[in-house]
Amino acid sequence: MIVYRLITEDDTSQFCHRVTEALSKGWSLHGSPSYAFDGANGVMRCAQAVTKESDQEYSPDMKLGQA
């Protein structure tokens, strides 16, 4: 099964650290990152999809970050 996650964060180094951590744990980038202005909070937001092959069976209760 392929597991999918969308990592989101304000446009800070923390976003890059979260994506880097996912990559170091075997996740792969899926597509390009996205950026959007969050007008309510006055900040840029980032998003990056990542995928990973897992031999677990899918369950709606599974914690995707630990797959």
Side-chain angles (χ1 to χ4, degrees):
M1 160 179 83
I2 296 176
V3 182
Y4 172 91
R5 290 176 55 203
L6 183 64
I7 300 170
T8 61
E9 183 81 35
D10 289 350
D11 186 12
T12 66
S13 63
Q14 181 62 27
F15 172 75
C16 296
H17 284 285
R18 290 183 66 203
V19 173
T20 300
E21 179 183 29
L23 295 173
S24 74
K25 292 181 177 179
W27 293 83
S28 298
L29 298 176
H30 183 79
S32 299
S34 297
Y35 299 91
F37 182 68
D38 178 351
N41 295 306
V43 297
M44 291 296 292
R45 301 271 302 161
C46 304
Q48 175 64 60
V50 292
T51 59
K52 182 179 181 181
E53 188 69 38
S54 175
D55 34 351
Q56 294 181 13
E57 187 169 321
Y58 175 74
S59 165
D61 300 325
M62 70 188 304
K63 296 193 181 291
L64 298 176
Q66 298 173 0

